[in-house]
Amino acid sequence: MSKAFTKEPEGDDDDEGGALPPLPAGSKNYMTPAGYARLRDELLNLIDNERPRIVEIVHWAASNGDRSENGDYLYGKKRLREIDRRIRFLTKRLDVAEVVDPSAHHGSDQIYFGATVTYANGKGEERTITIKGIDEVDHLAGEVSWIAPIARALLKAREGDEVQLMTPGGLETLEVLEVRYPPKKEA
């Protein structure tokens, strides 16, 4: 049977818009101002540029006749569904976002959302992470979500404190070495 006649799975898969985890029940969707701006820019680009461009391609491809073997038409329709799914996802996440400016804590030695924390484990290995929102983390850049176990263990601790983290290998003690926040921006 031709792929054109296969039925796609149905269901509300809006939260697959970026393969991001769902928000924990009852929690807020904290974001830094930069993370909010980046997601908002992506949403506006999809609405203002990407979607109209794909609609134009689909319209052109549909005018060519037989749609069942028209790759431009089939790919275009699939891409439109992906774009629409991402638009719905971003709209939902941005609607419930609570923007928190980490620079408000500049100079503090206590760990809150947006902090960049350097800590050492029991072996003396140092690691630096930045605590950010679920939708904006970049694990390769050393960022972790505020709901990650490491972030939950570190939140509210201060420089010099020791915290306990339950890991698959057992309980681990971490020492907070340094807490940094971005400087306040002048208006």
Side-chain angles (χ1 to χ4, degrees):
M1 176 175 9
S2 168
K3 185 173 176 141
F5 295 107
T6 59
K7 186 172 182 172
E8 291 190 8
E10 291 185 23
D12 185 19
D13 52 1
D14 289 349
D15 283 344
E16 292 178 18
L20 295 171
L23 292 172
S27 69
K28 299 185 179 193
N29 188 20
Y30 294 114
M31 274 189 214
T32 62
Y36 184 87
R38 192 178 79 246
L39 290 179
R40 187 171 177 279
D41 289 346
E42 179 186 352
L43 175 63
L44 293 176
N45 181 54
L46 287 171
I47 293 170
D48 296 339
N49 300 323
E50 187 73 13
R51 192 174 195 290
R53 185 177 65 79
I54 299 297
V55 166
E56 186 67 32
I57 291 170
V58 169
H59 176 73
W60 168 81
S63 69
N64 287 336
D66 185 10
R67 296 177 186 173
S68 66
E69 295 182 10
N70 186 330
D72 287 328
Y73 178 80
L74 295 174
Y75 171 76
K77 292 294 280 187
K78 180 179 181 203
R79 181 69 182 125
L80 272 178
R81 285 190 298 274
E82 293 167 356
I83 290 170
D84 289 343
R85 185 178 307 123
R86 183 71 177 161
I87 288 171
R88 285 190 305 271
F89 174 81
L90 288 171
T91 301
K92 284 181 182 180
R93 291 303 260 256
L94 290 172
D95 283 349
V96 297
E98 186 160 325
V99 179
V100 177
D101 188 0
S103 67
H105 298 290
H106 183 71
S108 173
D109 70 342
Q110 191 168 13
I111 302 170
Y112 295 106
F113 177 84
T116 299
V117 182
T118 301
Y119 64 88
N121 63 15
K123 299 174 189 169
E125 301 167 335
E126 289 187 16
R127 183 160 180 227
T128 301
I129 61 169
T130 301
I131 301 171
K132 292 200 169 182
I134 296 169
D135 298 329
E136 61 180 323
V137 295
D138 178 2
H139 299 288
L140 297 177
E143 299 172 352
V144 297
S145 165
W146 67 274
I147 63 168
I150 182 73
R152 295 258 183 189
L154 290 169
L155 284 171
K156 304 285 178 151
R158 295 182 179 275
E159 285 182 11
D161 287 354
E162 287 188 352
V163 298
Q164 303 293 317
L165 174 66
M166 183 53 79
T167 67
L171 195 61
E172 190 170 346
T173 302
L174 307 175
E175 181 184 357
V176 179
L177 302 176
E178 182 184 15
V179 178
R180 294 186 318 270
Y181 292 94
K184 294 180 181 176
K185 294 183 181 176
E186 297 182 27

